[in-house]
C-alpha cells in the first residue's frame, strides 16, 4: 500500500463542502474517499470500511464531533483531523487535547488540507520508508533498547520506558561518551533549566538505571559525573 491507497472518511453535513473536499482529495490522488453527514452514519461507515484517516467536523446534526471522536477512538487508533468553522482557541486546544492528530478551520486552502493529510499519513503509516535513525536500537551489554517502541529487551523479558525516560536516554545517546550537563538534560526532557528539577532528574535516572543496568546500585552505563551531569558509556570502552 502506498500513501494514496489510504482510505479516507469525511464526516460533515455540509454537502457543498463535502463535494468540494472529495474533489480536492481525488484531484490529488486519493481515490478512496467515503462520506457521512452525521454521527450515526459516520460511525457506521467507519466500522464497515475501517479507513486509515478520518476528517471530522465538530458541529453535526445528531451530536458533536468531540463525542464522536471518543467513540471512534474506542474502536481504532486511526488518525483523526478535526475540520471546523470554529476558530476559537478553546475548541482547537480541546480537540488536540483529546488526542486528535490535527485541527484545521474553515475556510482553508486546498493545498493546506492536502499537506496536513499527507503529513499525518506519512507519520502514522509510512515512517518506515524514512532512512533509519541512529536512535533505532541501542545496545547496552545484554540489553537492547528499541527507541521506536520505548522498550528495553533482555533475557528476562521486555520492559517499557516512560516518555520522560525515553527522552532522557535519547539525549544521553546523542552525546554518547560525552558529559551531558544537568541543564542540557532538563532542556531536552522538560524544556526548562535544571533549577527545581534536581530531585526529579535523580528519580528518573534511578528508574532508568533499574531498567537498563545489571546492577542499578553499581551502574555501568549511565555514569554520574559529580557536579556536572551524566554520561552514557560507550560499548567499546574497557572496564575499570
Amino acid at each position: 500500500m502506498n500513501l494514496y491507497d489510504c482510505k479516507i472518511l469525511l464526516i460533515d453535513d455540509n454537502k457543498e463542502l463535502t463535494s468540494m473536499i472529495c474533489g480536492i482529495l481525488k484531484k490529488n490522488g486519493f481515490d478512496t474517499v467515503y462520506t457521512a453527514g452525521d454521527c450515526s452514519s459516520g460511525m457506521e461507515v467507519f466500522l464497515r470500511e475501517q479507513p486509515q484517516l478520518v476528517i471530522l467536523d465538530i458541529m453535526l446534526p445528531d451530536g458533536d464531533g468531540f463525542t464522536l471522536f471518543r467513540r471512534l477512538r474506542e474502536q481504532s487508533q486511526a488518525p483523526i483531523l478535526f475540520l471546523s468553522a470554529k476558530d476559537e482557541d478553546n475548541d482547537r486546544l480541546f480537540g488536540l487535547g483529546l488526542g486528535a492528530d490535527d485541527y484545521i478551520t474553515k475556510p482553508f486552502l486546498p493545498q493546506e488540507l492536502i499537506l496536513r493529510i499527507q503529513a499525518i499519513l506519512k507519520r502514522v503509516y509510512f515512517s518506515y520508508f524514512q532512512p533509519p535513525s541512529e536512535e533505532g536500537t541501542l545496545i547496552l551489554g545484554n540489553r537492547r533498547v528499541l527507541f521506536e517502541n520505548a522498550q528495553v529487551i533482555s533475557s528476562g523479558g521486555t520492559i517499557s520506558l516512560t516518555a520522560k525516560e525515553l527522552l532522557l536516554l535519547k539525549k544521553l545517546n546523542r552525546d554518547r561518551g560525552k558529559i551531558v550537563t544537568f541543564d542540557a538534560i532538563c532542556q531536552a526532557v522538560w524544556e526548562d533549566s535544571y533549577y527545581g528539577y534536581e530531585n526529579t532528574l535523580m528519580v528518573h535516572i534511578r528508574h532508568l538505571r533499574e531498567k537498563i543496568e545489571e546492577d542499578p546500585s553499581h551502574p555501568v552505563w549511565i555514569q554520574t559525573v559529580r557536579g556536572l551531569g551524566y554520561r552514557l558509556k560507550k560499548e567499546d570502552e574497557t572496564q575499570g
Side-chain angles (χ1 to χ4, degrees):
M1 182 178 75
N2 66 46
L3 185 143
Y4 298 99
D5 291 328
C6 290
K7 295 184 286 186
I8 296 175
L9 169 60
L10 169 61
I11 305 175
D12 195 305
D13 63 327
N14 185 322
K15 292 184 179 179
E16 272 188 35
L17 182 64
T18 296
S19 177
M20 183 189 79
I21 292 175
C22 286
I24 292 170
L25 291 171
K26 292 186 177 181
K27 182 179 178 181
N28 283 272
F30 294 99
D31 292 324
T32 311
V33 183
Y34 303 97
T35 62
D38 54 39
C39 295
S40 178
S41 59
M43 177 59 76
E44 182 182 335
V45 177
F46 181 82
L47 294 174
R48 183 179 70 242
E49 302 298 341
Q50 298 184 358
Q52 277 75 45
L53 173 72
V54 178
I55 302 172
L56 176 60
D57 189 21
I58 290 179
M59 303 299 291
L60 295 166
D62 58 344
D64 66 87
F66 295 139
T67 301
L68 181 56
F69 174 91
R70 294 188 181 96
R71 292 176 59 202
L72 296 174
R73 271 286 185 265
E74 290 173 357
Q75 303 295 326
S76 166
Q77 291 299 310
I80 298 175
L81 183 156
F82 273 120
L83 177 67
S84 174
K86 291 188 173 184
D87 193 19
E88 298 175 10
D89 286 341
N90 287 343
D91 287 310
R92 182 174 61 84
L93 293 174
F94 186 72
L96 295 174
L98 286 176
D101 294 82
D102 207 342
Y103 189 112
I104 188 170
T105 55
K106 312 169 191 174
F108 53 84
L109 295 173
Q111 195 57 30
E112 180 187 5
L113 177 65
I114 292 299
L115 288 173
R116 288 180 184 243
I117 289 171
Q118 290 173 334
I120 292 171
L121 293 175
K122 286 176 182 178
R123 174 174 55 79
V124 175
Y125 300 109
F126 299 96
S127 60
Y128 55 84
F129 287 126
Q130 298 172 3
S133 165
E134 293 180 1
E135 295 181 339
T137 303
L138 173 62
I139 306 297
L140 299 172
N142 63 355
R143 285 171 166 76
R144 285 189 302 134
V145 179
L146 305 182
F147 284 110
E148 184 177 355
N149 300 324
Q151 293 178 330
V152 181
I153 300 175
S154 70
S155 57
T158 300
I159 303 172
S160 295
L161 296 171
T162 67
K164 296 302 184 187
E165 290 167 356
L166 182 64
L167 287 173
L168 201 163
L169 192 54
K170 280 186 174 182
K171 177 58 180 173
L172 291 174
N173 186 49
R174 290 189 195 109
D175 296 299
R176 190 169 185 179
K178 301 176 183 177
I179 298 170
V180 184
T181 65
F182 298 130
D183 263 327
I185 293 173
C186 289
Q187 285 292 340
V189 178
W190 290 282
E191 297 183 352
D192 206 344
S193 66
Y194 179 50
Y195 180 75
Y197 287 91
E198 296 91 339
N199 291 334
T200 302
L201 178 56
M202 286 177 61
V203 169
H204 279 80
I205 289 287
R206 185 175 74 246
H207 289 166
L208 187 54
R209 281 171 169 163
E210 289 170 354
K211 296 179 179 181
I212 68 170
E213 300 279 1
E214 286 287 339
D215 182 358
S217 299
H218 300 87
V220 170
W221 298 109
I222 298 180
Q223 302 171 341
T224 302
V225 183
R226 191 174 298 278
L228 293 176
Y230 296 96
R231 175 181 179 274
L232 184 64
K233 175 179 173 289
K234 288 185 176 180
E235 180 76 26
D236 58 358
E237 289 180 39
T238 57
Q239 299 285 342

